[in-house]
Amino acid sequence: MTSPTPSQSPSPALGWLLAVPALLGTLITLVLPTGQTIWLSFQSGGVLRKVSYAGTANYAELLGDAHVWRALWFTLSLTLMPLLVALVVAPLLALALDRAGTWPRRAGRIALSLAIVTFSPVGVAAAWLRGLMPNASGPAALAEGLVEPATAPGTLRLIVAAATFGVVCALAMIAFLPALRGGRPVPAMFAVGALVALATVAAGLQTFSLGLALTRGGPERSTETLAGLQYDFAFRVADFGRGAAVAALTGVILGVLGIVATVIAVAARLRITLTPRAAPVPQPGSFAGPLPASGPFP
């Protein structure tokens, strides 16, 4: 009789080797572009002018520009109605889905997946642009408000809320559903709600496609967003320094939101635990195991 071979723990070197592709991807897609953006933010000029070191002049100019502050507040206002969806509608639907049973939950997962994978901001914007036609009718006619400076901001807020309802609700429900199955669902729901709120604001601060396709920041810069302002500086005016400065300031705000989210997750001790599926309880009179061994049948 031989003793079983003791299991050996994997080498740490193997773990680092497998992590190399992820580390390279992070370096190429996140670290290097961030460093380049910060460096560009301290320069002036661009394609049409000689590039020179400007120090903090770009930041001083942006922080003293009323248009930048107006773009910031308008961008934040675009997140108000998605926040209501994420913090009110999504938890209620998650609770209903959690109590509905196996088949409704499966159907709900399919619907959530479809809401996420079919979301296309440009496609949604193209559909709303039909409302600007002379013979437009129905909900699409709401887009007529995008023409006037007084009504364009409110109209764009409604369109953003309607366009993102499905994806915001789906992502928030995916976050809330595991919290309902933990040992302390109420504290977990509050912690997850705080994280969902921070994520919604972070995503809203980067709103770009819908605004660019529908209004291009107009009329009269009434619907200008931070991302749109960054695009205008960097690509329309060819002033890479100011465009990078807007991106860096946006990154600072996003970084603060990320730190707050990390603190909340650590303080609440949030974690994801995979629980084994419970074995079915055998009913009286049902077959619950293998038949005992017996001789040949007569």
Side-chain angles (χ1 to χ4, degrees):
M1 182 175 182
T2 59
S3 59
T5 303
S7 60
Q8 297 180 354
S9 59
S11 172
L14 178 61
W16 283 107
L17 180 63
L18 295 176
V20 166
L23 294 175
L24 289 177
T26 302
L27 178 66
I28 295 172
T29 63
L30 181 61
V31 177
L32 291 180
T34 301
Q36 185 180 22
T37 299
I38 295 174
W39 171 246
L40 283 175
S41 69
F42 294 106
Q43 299 180 6
S44 63
V47 177
L48 304 179
R49 294 180 297 168
K50 182 180 179 181
V51 178
S52 60
Y53 181 74
T56 59
N58 290 325
Y59 292 98
E61 183 179 353
L62 291 175
L63 294 176
D65 190 349
H67 293 296
V68 175
W69 290 103
R70 186 171 68 177
L72 172 61
W73 297 124
F74 177 72
T75 306
L76 288 174
S77 72
L78 293 176
T79 66
L80 293 179
M81 282 184 276
L83 274 174
L84 290 176
V85 174
L87 299 180
V88 178
V89 179
L92 294 176
L93 290 178
L95 181 62
L97 201 61
D98 183 65
R99 301 293 187 266
T102 302
W103 287 107
R105 276 199 300 270
R106 291 179 180 176
R109 290 171 185 169
I110 295 174
L112 293 177
S113 302
L114 292 176
I116 296 172
V117 301
T118 59
F119 178 66
S120 173
V122 177
V124 172
W128 280 101
L129 284 175
R130 293 179 59 87
L132 297 177
M133 297 181 178
N135 58 348
S137 60
L142 176 67
E144 294 179 355
L146 297 173
V147 179
E148 299 294 333
T151 57
T155 302
L156 186 58
R157 293 187 189 101
L158 291 175
I159 291 177
V160 169
T164 60
F165 178 87
V167 65
V168 169
C169 192
L171 292 174
M173 285 177 63
I174 291 174
F176 281 116
L177 278 172
L180 290 170
R181 298 188 175 187
R184 301 173 59 193
V186 175
M189 288 288 284
F190 278 106
V192 171
L195 296 180
V196 167
L198 292 172
T200 303
V201 174
L205 283 172
Q206 302 171 74
T207 301
F208 176 69
S209 301
L210 281 171
L212 180 68
L214 289 172
T215 64
R216 294 178 177 84
E220 300 178 9
R221 305 183 72 171
S222 60
T223 60
E224 197 166 46
T225 62
L226 281 179
L229 193 65
Q230 175 186 338
Y231 176 80
D232 287 344
F233 283 145
F235 297 101
R236 290 184 178 177
V237 186
D239 190 342
F240 299 140
R242 284 197 296 173
V246 175
L249 291 174
T250 305
V252 170
I253 299 175
L254 296 177
V256 172
L257 294 177
I259 293 174
V260 174
T262 302
V263 171
I264 292 174
V266 172
R269 298 182 179 180
L270 293 179
R271 62 185 183 274
I272 299 176
T273 304
L274 298 178
T275 56
R277 183 175 298 178
V281 179
Q283 300 296 326
S286 62
F287 173 70
L291 292 172
S294 61
F297 290 99

